[in-house]
Every structure is written in structure tokens, then in C-alpha cells.
Amino acid sequence: MTRSLPTGVAGGSYILKPPLVKKSMLTSLDKGGVGKELSDGWVANFAIGCTFGCGFCYVDPIHKRWGSRRVGDIVKKDWGYYFAVPENLQEVIEKTNWANWNGKEVMLSSTHDAYLPQLYEWTRKILEKALPAGVKFCIQTRSPLVEQDFKLISRYRDQVRLQVSVATMNAEFSRKIELRVVPPLRRLDILRNAKNYVKCETGIIIAPIFPRTQMRPDINADLHELARHLAGIRPEHIYGESLHRRGVNMTYIEKALGERVLIDGFDAEAKTLFNASLKEFGLSGRWWDEE
């Protein structure tokens, strides 16, 4: 069963209009997106907020600007401390004509993790409807709960690429910036297990790469360790992005770390270190430049 909300997280509900699949900007430039190639221009989002509470997340300002129209003042709370699910989600899943996206890749999901403890049962219902209809998915997660769907995904392995996100290999640092997420090594295990047992395409987003901090001063060593692990997994897709300022995310981060985090001018350095670390282990990736 799905789990209750963490202590201090305000819950809510809202009405979602079908279809569940909407247009997304997280796609290639030639499809009118921002060049991130995370779908064929489609996304399925079915929550407002994310209980993982990663302080660096870029989604919070979107909900703070638009979310109150749907769920009220809970979006005024800090990121990771509000969460709402559509009360009519089952109806929306049923009313979505999944065949309309036959052969199209849909991102699952862009404004929350699809495998949150509070959501993964809904995610399975979506996959059970969409995969037989020919829908392809880019599943982006930080959660091992996706492994519970490996048997289903393996039957449709040609329609799925499974990706994880890792910002750092420093477990202590990760716990500060990714409040309720499993350690980095466990996320890499998801990719390794997917390679070995599901045999679908895999990927990783190395993001956001932080500048030097007191807790994690050596950026190069951090990226080197991650690249070393990836060399043994060989994911088909590797993306990288540095930390950017979005809404109040820097305030969240600096409060969690207890120090100033200076990002001005860091993007170019992060790109160089990212590419060098991958090259050392015979890997290649794609860097997302600061917008």
C-alpha cells in the first residue's frame, strides 16, 4: 500500500482534466522544447509537490505561482512540505485515450517523482494502461520502488528507458540536499539491476552539480567516483547540469548546509569537469547549459 505523508507535510487534493498526458518543454529543440531530450514532447504529471524534498528542485516556484488555484495555500510551505494528488485520478487514467500516444515517448514525470511512496501504486496503473497501448516512457526517478514494476517493464522493455538522478556521491552531503531520498549508491543499483534483469535502456542525470562546499569541497573527486561506478554500468544516456538559481531554492540549500553557496560563473567549470570525468572512463554524455 502507498504510505502516509511524512511528518509536517501538508496534504491536499485537486481536480485534474483528462487526458493525463500533456505537452512538455523537456524535449528537443526541433520539437519546440528546451533541448533536454527527455521525451517526444509529452509528460504525465499527477501530483502537486514532491515528498522527497530536494531543496535544489526547480519545480517549487511553478507551484508557488500557479498551484494555489488548485490546492490553496499549502503551496506557500517550503518545498517538500506540501503534496496533493488529484481526487479523480482513476477517472483521468481511464478517460485518457492512451492509443493517441502509440509510439510516442512520454516523460514520467517532470514535476514530481513518479515513484514516491505516496504515488507508486498510481504509476503502476498508468503503466498497465499505457504500455499495452504502445506508449513509450522515459521514467525518471530517485526511488527503488520502481524495481517493484520491473516484471511489468521487462515485458515492454523496448518501450521504456529508465533513468535515475544523482547529484553527488557523498552520502552525507546528499542527505542534506535530498531530504528523503535513498543514498546515491542505492540509486546506481537501480540502473545496474535494470541492466541485468529488465534489459531496457537506462540513463542518469548527474544534477545538479554543486560548486565547492565545506561538506563536499572536491568536485572533481566526487564526479570521478560517480564516473567510475557508471563505467561498470554503461548507461545509454548520461546528462549533466550544474546548480541554477530557481525561485527560493538557494535559500533552501543554504539553510540545509549552513553556508553560502556561490554559483555565479560555475556553469562552465562544471561542464569541463563533467566531460573530463566521463572521458577518463570511456564514457560520453550531454551537458545542459544554463538557460
Side-chain angles (χ1 to χ4, degrees), residues 13-287:
S13 63
Y14 61 102
I15 299 295
L16 183 63
K17 294 182 179 179
L20 184 57
V21 179
K22 313 289 187 185
K23 290 185 177 181
S24 170
M25 291 297 290
L26 296 178
T27 182
S28 58
L29 293 171
D30 61 0
K31 293 179 181 176
V34 295
K36 290 194 170 182
E37 296 185 355
L38 294 178
S39 77
D40 283 332
W42 305 100
V43 69
N45 291 321
F46 45 102
I48 291 177
C50 183
T51 57
F52 280 165
C54 304
F56 50 73
C57 186
Y58 304 156
V59 175
D60 185 45
I62 298 172
H63 292 321
K64 281 186 166 33
R65 182 173 183 181
W66 308 108
S68 61
R69 301 177 184 179
R70 290 180 163 185
V71 297
D73 288 344
I74 65 169
V75 296
K76 294 180 180 179
K77 294 175 69 72
D78 287 353
W79 180 245
Y81 288 93
Y82 61 86
F83 187 72
V85 178
E87 60 187 66
N88 64 330
L89 185 51
Q90 181 65 48
E91 177 187 0
V92 173
I93 294 172
E94 296 291 339
K95 287 187 174 181
T96 298
N97 185 357
W98 295 101
N100 286 344
W101 290 274
N102 178 17
K104 303 294 185 182
E105 187 180 57
V106 176
M107 187 176 184
L108 193 69
S109 303
S110 67
T111 62
H112 59 82
D113 197 300
Y115 280 92
L116 294 170
Q118 298 78 25
L119 281 184
Y120 72 93
E121 288 183 344
W122 287 113
T123 301
R124 178 162 186 113
K125 290 181 179 182
I126 291 167
L127 294 177
E128 288 174 336
K129 287 287 187 180
L131 288 172
V135 182
K136 301 171 69 175
F137 284 102
C138 172
I139 299 176
Q140 187 68 41
T141 186
R142 286 180 164 86
S143 174
L145 286 171
V146 67
E147 293 173 346
Q148 297 190 18
D149 285 344
F150 272 8
K151 185 176 180 180
L152 172 62
I153 293 171
S154 67
R155 296 203 298 269
Y156 300 92
R157 60 175 61 93
D158 293 338
Q159 294 171 226
V160 175
R161 62 165 157 156
L162 175 59
Q163 300 189 159
V164 301
S165 297
V166 175
T168 177
M169 291 302 293
N170 184 315
E172 183 183 5
F173 186 60
S174 170
R175 179 59 61 190
K176 290 288 187 180
I177 62 174
E178 302 169 302
L179 184 61
R180 305 184 189 99
V181 183
V182 298
L185 282 173
R186 182 63 183 94
R187 279 172 264 168
L188 295 182
D189 282 342
I190 296 171
L191 291 188
R192 188 174 292 106
N193 293 337
K195 277 281 192 180
N196 291 338
Y197 304 114
V198 183
K199 304 187 186 305
C200 63
E201 282 192 23
T202 58
I204 183 170
I205 299 179
I206 304 174
I209 298 173
F210 273 64
R212 294 165 185 82
T213 66
Q214 294 176 15
M215 187 175 292
R216 198 282 259 119
D218 194 335
I219 308 167
N220 193 47
D222 196 7
L223 291 173
H224 182 276
E225 183 183 359
L226 178 50
R228 179 175 63 83
H229 282 281
L230 293 178
I233 301 172
R234 314 301 296 191
E236 286 81 6
H237 307 276
I238 302 177
Y239 303 100
E241 184 177 31
S242 67
L243 177 64
H244 301 157
R245 183 177 287 104
R246 298 288 188 273
V248 297
N249 67 335
M250 297 304 297
T251 300
Y252 295 150
I253 290 165
E254 292 177 347
K255 180 179 179 181
L257 296 178
E259 64 175 291
R260 289 287 308 279
V261 178
L262 304 177
I263 62 173
D264 292 343
F266 175 66
D267 196 71
E269 179 184 0
K271 180 178 182 178
T272 298
L273 293 175
F274 167 82
N275 287 324
S277 295
L278 295 182
K279 184 178 181 180
E280 182 176 353
F281 291 94
L283 302 168
S284 61
R286 176 166 180 179
W287 182 259

